[in-house]
Amino acid sequence: MNIREELEQNEYTQLAPWAAKAAESRGRLLPEEENDVRTCYQRDVDRIVYSKSFRRLKHKTQVFLQPEGDHYRTRLTHTLEVVRISRTIARALRLNEDLTEAVAFGHDLGHTPFGHAGEKALTDITGRPFRHNEQSLRVVDVLEKNGEGLNLSYETRMGIVGHTGDFIPETLEGQIIRIADRIAYINHDIDDACRAGILTNQDIPRDIRMILGETHSERINTLVMDLIEHSRGKDHLERSPEIAETMERLRDFMFERVYRNPVAKGEESKARDIIGMLYEYYVKHPEKIPADFQTQLDFDGIERTACDYIAGMTDKYAVYKFSEIFIPTAWNVRG
């Protein structure tokens, strides 16, 4: 028996009966030989973390576009916070931490530059809904490794596409990410909004603060502990009605005061224009699409290929390409 087989056997004694077991995975899109040391979910984690799309998250907007300061969240730091919150929950509930971690690391790989402004821009210009969870699945299935994809396990893939939206993952590990994602972004967005000067902690309704806590750490602890306490020993996730309802009220408050705030969203029209103009340019000039995407043109056409290329850009790279294409370069005139 090799190390991987020992780890798989240990899951049956260490994890809850309803936890996902690596030995029972529904497999990959393309069958592969198993690794002697790592389980399938451990390999999924490594494939995601070593991918180019994961590295690009460090230069993708979370909420604030081009913020001045080093401490605002990006998609990468958001992802890391989701990983830590979700693993704490999974460990306490004796669920599969490796699968939980894989889904958490991969859930936002499909996010566009400029956050949800980019998502809306691609929706408007293509005439069909652009959903980052669906794009995240497309990234790991098709776009990574020059079109080969990462060939992840079924459970990881379904957790990624189901971290938001109508589809609910079959595994509790995947369902944890749906909650951990919200716990992370609501609370760190409060922190960033306070740093930006558009919100103070005292602006949060007092009744919400009394239930969830006065500080960033208190709120996260309340939300995490409530989920753990009400789900422990059960084959489903459960929260107390009071905490679940209060969390939704806090989310509504954030939409009203931050996510739709003109200060926080003041530059979004420019971001949408950048993405719109880039898309139109590449549709008219498919030969300008990088070589990595040229073979995709034969299968998906220019509209889908241009959408994939732009969606994968970082904020900085989108601005750079826009400047390169549309802004005249300085030139010297000899007198």
Side-chain angles (χ1 to χ4, degrees), residues 7 15 30 43 73 89 91 94 109 123 126 128 138 142 156 177 194 201 232 240 244 250 284 304 313 321:
L7 293 173
L15 301 184
L30 298 175
R43 296 177 77 187
R73 269 72 171 190
I89 297 168
R91 183 175 299 171
R94 295 175 57 217
L109 293 181
T123 293
T126 62
R128 56 180 179 272
R138 182 169 173 80
V142 178
T156 299
I177 308 303
C194 291
N201 202 60
R232 206 171 171 192
S240 68
L250 179 58
K284 293 178 181 177
R304 178 73 254 186
M313 291 180 176
K321 295 305 293 184

Side-chain angles (χ1 to χ4, degrees), residues 220-334:
I220 291 180
N221 187 67
T222 298
L223 293 166
V224 169
M225 290 304 299
D226 179 78
L227 177 61
I228 291 172
E229 290 171 0
H230 286 81
S231 304
R232 206 171 171 192
K234 300 176 181 177
D235 63 355
H236 61 278
L237 300 182
E238 190 173 312
R239 293 180 289 169
S240 68
E242 179 186 40
I243 296 299
E245 187 270 337
T246 304
M247 181 177 172
E248 287 305 307
R249 287 199 292 122
L250 179 58
R251 184 171 179 267
D252 292 342
F253 168 81
M254 289 297 290
F255 268 95
E256 177 185 346
R257 293 294 300 272
V258 177
Y259 302 140
R260 299 191 183 104
N261 187 293
V263 175
K265 300 290 141 180
E267 299 296 300
E268 283 196 352
S269 61
K270 298 177 184 178
R272 289 194 295 269
D273 289 343
I274 289 174
I275 288 181
M277 292 177 70
L278 286 174
Y279 180 85
E280 292 177 355
Y281 174 81
Y282 288 118
V283 167
K284 293 178 181 177
H285 303 281
E287 73 281 1
K288 298 296 184 180
I289 294 280
D292 292 351
F293 287 84
Q294 286 296 322
T295 55
Q296 184 183 340
L297 291 170
D298 297 333
F299 300 98
D300 295 327
I302 183 56
E303 289 86 1
R304 178 73 254 186
T305 303
C307 183
D308 287 337
Y309 176 46
I310 293 169
M313 291 180 176
T314 64
D315 297 18
K316 291 183 177 181
Y317 189 70
V319 171
Y320 164 75
K321 295 305 293 184
F322 178 86
S323 299
E324 180 184 62
I325 295 168
F326 297 108
I327 306 299
T329 56
W331 54 288
N332 296 320
V333 179
R334 295 185 180 180

Side-chain angles (χ1 to χ4, degrees), residues 169-189:
E170 300 98 319
T171 66
L172 294 185
E173 290 82 359
Q175 293 172 31
I176 284 175
I177 308 303
R178 292 176 67 91
I179 301 174
D181 185 33
R182 285 196 173 192
I183 292 174
Y185 78 67
I186 290 173
N187 285 285
H188 65 50
D189 291 349

